[in-house]
Amino acid sequence: MQSDGSETLSPTTQRLQSFSAADTRGKHRIHAELKRLEQETRFLEEELEQLEKMENASSACKEILKGAETKPDPLLPITHGPLNPFWDRWFEGPQDSKGCRCWIL
Amino acid sequence: MSVAELKERHVAASDTVNSLRERLKQKRASLLDTDVAGYARSQGKTPVTFGPTDLVCCRTLQGHTGKVYSLDWTSEKNRIVSASQDGRLIVWNALTSQKTHAIKLPCAWVMTCAFSPTGQSVACGGLDSVCSIFNLNSLCDKDGNLPVSRTLSGHKGYVSSCQYVPDEDTHLISGSGDQTCVLWDITTGLRTSVFGGEFQSGHTADVVSVSINQSNSRLFVSGSCDTTARLWDTRVASRAVRTFHGHEGDVNVVKFFPDGNRFGTGSDDGTCRLFDIRTGHQLQVYHQPHGDNDIPPVKTIAFSISGRLLFAGYTNGDCYVWDTLLAKVVLNLGSLQNSHEAQISCLGLSADGSALCTGSWDTNLKIWAFGGHRKII
């Protein structure tokens, strides 16, 4: 599948530059591109409308803080309980940290 | 309509799209009254502090003979599947370090692997453009190899990432260099839905990462070389629910935040970001120079089970542990004793959040856990 767009030019600009004035074979391609742009326009207009009623970022930040501070987390030095003894299973029993060293050849 | 007229309309439509994008960008900026760190500081929060022996490497899983590219834990406690440049998947019991399976792949160029929810199957994908499914309970063939139980064909480019849909072994989502994501029915081997691609709006460059929402498995995010992340609803393949702009380079990795309403990203631009799926807001940028103005790309991320910690692997061998709330680096696993000797390419948390597994180009996997004194509040 052709990869559109470079890092520096927008996909639409690149495509436009590749059309020559007498390139009637590209007519269907341009038409398809145009349809895609018109669809994109509708999506963007919808999004703008949604943003008019959108909450500020601080509401989401509040939720994140609440969640991250209340859920028990075995990797934190200070955390909410309950403590689960299985969290420490990595330090129990035979501690052969190299373990099985067979090489798969 | 003539070609010339069509081209004129095309230029006008391009201008409209660009101007709408600019207006959207400005409107979004006006809604960003704070970021997570600003809000957390205003609430008097202080960063997590680790003692020197708190997070330790407690296992080194040796066996691959090439770079490790991908890993995935089971949803029960202790098993991991890893994929390597050596053309093999290995299934490990991370607690005992034993290998339970070593699967020689039909195509050695593997890029991604995943464990099924029941732990009975594994999936992988790579440069062969297919996803291969292996049933771990199958009998090996006469050469001692585990047979492929299903091949999922249809992508027109490499398979960069794959993940099983939670709670069932029957569906998988893959991301591909063909710019699409696909939801597969493994039972039939057919594509249930294709997200993006030639006739639908979607990513405009390679998809390199996918992450499924664990609380609402109809939602998943994809990360792409087109610098965006996109949120998809599997019921609506024709367009993304939302496109997230902000990164200035390839988005190499996406991972849902534990609460399911946010997701994190890691990028070639050297930053990680946190986005909100309901509003589309970019809630936080995680950026810190690594010394000498070095800004290495982020290749892999994972959140701890509460979301308080964000682990990020960079191409220079660093593995920063970020305090997600205060946007501060609180530890660098890459500089700890016994750490990897090369870039960490993949990361994952065990299901109960008690261990982090890192996979590296040094061919090893390591398990990290909290070995210090824990204070319960």
Side-chain angles (χ1 to χ4, degrees):
Chain A
M1 179 175 286
Q2 215 174 359
S3 174
D4 295 321
S6 68
E7 293 288 297
T8 50
L9 289 176
S10 75
T12 44
T13 312
Q14 233 197 7
R15 279 181 223 125
L16 209 55
Q17 287 182 354
S18 70
F19 302 151
S20 69
D23 189 357
T24 53
R25 291 168 302 168
K27 192 175 176 183
H28 288 291
R29 195 150 53 103
I30 307 171
H31 191 74
E33 276 304 316
L34 184 58
K35 285 282 162 241
R36 224 188 294 221
L37 281 172
E38 286 168 355
Q39 187 187 55
E40 182 71 14
T41 302
R42 285 193 295 276
F43 292 164
L44 291 170
E45 281 167 350
E46 269 175 38
E47 198 178 335
L48 253 178
E49 234 174 282
Q50 285 171 8
L51 276 186
E52 293 302 325
K53 307 164 223 160
M54 199 69 84
E55 296 169 327
N56 282 348
S58 48
S59 312
C61 294
K62 222 180 273 190
E63 283 178 18
I64 291 172
L65 229 75
K66 193 169 163 206
E69 291 212 299
T70 50
K71 192 164 181 186
D73 190 330
L75 295 178
L76 290 176
I78 303 173
T79 184
H80 278 267
L83 188 76
N84 185 334
F86 282 118
W87 290 350
D88 292 329
R89 63 188 182 280
W90 306 101
F91 301 100
E92 290 157 12
Q95 295 267 331
D96 183 3
S97 71
K98 295 287 161 77
C100 170
R101 295 178 67 180
C102 63
W103 296 92
I104 313 292
L105 295 171
Chain B
M1 202 180 296
S2 69
V3 168
E5 281 166 335
L6 269 176
K7 278 201 267 183
E8 262 183 45
R9 281 184 60 180
H10 191 284
V11 168
S14 277
D15 287 343
T16 307
V17 162
N18 289 335
S19 124
L20 277 168
R21 284 206 176 120
E22 192 49 42
R23 279 173 62 193
L24 264 170
K25 198 171 157 188
Q26 285 173 11
K27 181 67 189 170
R28 281 214 174 275
S30 73
L31 291 169
L32 291 184
D33 53 336
T34 184
D35 61 9
V36 176
Y39 183 76
R41 281 193 303 266
S42 75
Q43 300 297 302
K45 300 301 167 196
T46 52
V48 172
T49 46
F50 284 106
T53 54
D54 278 350
L55 276 187
V56 292
C57 170
C58 52
R59 300 285 188 282
T60 297
L61 306 180
Q62 294 182 301
H64 279 301
T65 55
K67 298 173 180 176
V68 176
Y69 287 139
S70 178
L71 68 90
D72 193 29
W73 288 84
T74 37
S75 19
E76 34 93 7
K77 294 188 187 68
N78 299 323
R79 290 190 301 154
I80 295 173
V81 62
S82 58
S84 163
Q85 185 192 38
D86 64 13
R88 289 183 157 82
L89 299 184
I90 296 181
V91 179
W92 314 80
N93 179 320
L95 196 58
T96 63
S97 303
Q98 299 296 315
K99 301 173 194 49
T100 60
H101 297 77
I103 304 170
K104 188 169 175 211
L105 297 172
C107 171
W109 307 109
V110 63
M111 297 174 74
T112 181
C113 61
F115 234 126
S116 72
T118 64
Q120 294 192 47
S121 298
V122 292
C124 68
L127 292 187
D128 55 357
S129 306
V130 303
C131 291
S132 301
I133 310 292
F134 296 89
N135 184 326
L136 296 177
N137 301 317
S138 302
L139 294 172
C140 290
D141 63 21
K142 57 178 169 53
D143 299 320
N145 295 322
L146 203 66
V148 178
S149 64
R150 179 69 76 199
T151 301
L152 307 175
S153 314
H155 274 303
K156 295 175 192 147
Y158 64 88
V159 174
S160 55
S161 50
C162 64
Q163 190 178 353
Y164 278 85
V165 176
D167 302 327
E168 39 178 326
D169 277 14
T170 54
H171 288 85
L172 186 83
I173 291 179
S174 59
S176 170
D178 68 10
Q179 308 180 6
T180 71
C181 300
V182 170
L183 170 65
W184 302 90
D185 180 332
I186 295 172
T187 323
T188 59
L190 299 176
R191 288 172 288 187
T192 304
S193 300
V194 179
F195 305 91
E198 215 170 338
F199 302 108
Q200 296 171 122
S201 81
H203 284 295
T204 54
D206 301 16
V207 175
V208 288
S209 180
V210 295
S211 175
I212 303 177
N213 190 319
Q214 297 297 303
S215 20
N216 178 354
S217 58
R218 286 207 184 106
L219 295 179
F220 72 94
V221 285
S222 54
S224 166
C225 297
D226 68 10
T227 76
T228 71
R230 283 171 211 245
L231 175 69
W232 302 89
D233 183 323
T234 54
R235 296 166 296 182
V236 183
S238 54
R239 59 177 280 201
V241 173
R242 201 179 287 290
T243 301
F244 300 83
H245 299 271
H247 277 297
E248 294 165 6
D250 297 1
V251 177
N252 295 318
V253 58
V254 290
K255 258 318 153 55
F256 261 102
F257 193 69
D259 72 2
N261 292 317
R262 269 54 73 168
F263 67 91
T265 55
S267 167
D268 269 3
D269 67 11
T271 70
C272 301
R273 293 175 198 233
L274 188 68
F275 292 94
D276 184 272
I277 63 171
R278 289 174 308 189
T279 59
H281 293 327
Q282 178 182 281
L283 298 176
Q284 188 63 53
V285 180
Y286 301 94
H287 169 61
Q288 178 169 305
H290 295 239
D292 298 330
N293 293 321
D294 188 20
I295 311 180
V298 180
K299 285 305 205 183
T300 180
I301 63 169
F303 288 103
S304 70
I305 201 168
S306 67
R308 184 65 193 260
L309 301 175
L310 166 65
F311 300 92
Y314 299 77
T315 54
N316 69 345
D318 284 338
C319 183
Y320 281 175
V321 183
W322 289 89
D323 179 324
T324 339
L325 300 186
L326 279 304
K328 287 228 171 326
V329 177
V330 295
L331 196 60
N332 180 2
L333 293 182
S335 65
L336 289 184
Q337 195 185 17
N338 215 6
S339 187
H340 288 287
E341 290 163 14
Q343 173 182 333
I344 288 169
S345 54
C346 46
L347 291 167
L349 267 290
S350 63
D352 67 349
S354 64
L356 171 75
C357 183
T358 52
S360 169
W361 282 10
D362 70 3
T363 77
N364 294 332
L365 289 88
K366 285 182 183 281
I367 308 293
W368 306 79
F370 185 85
H373 174 72
R374 213 181 260 118
K375 184 177 172 194
I376 303 295
I377 49 174

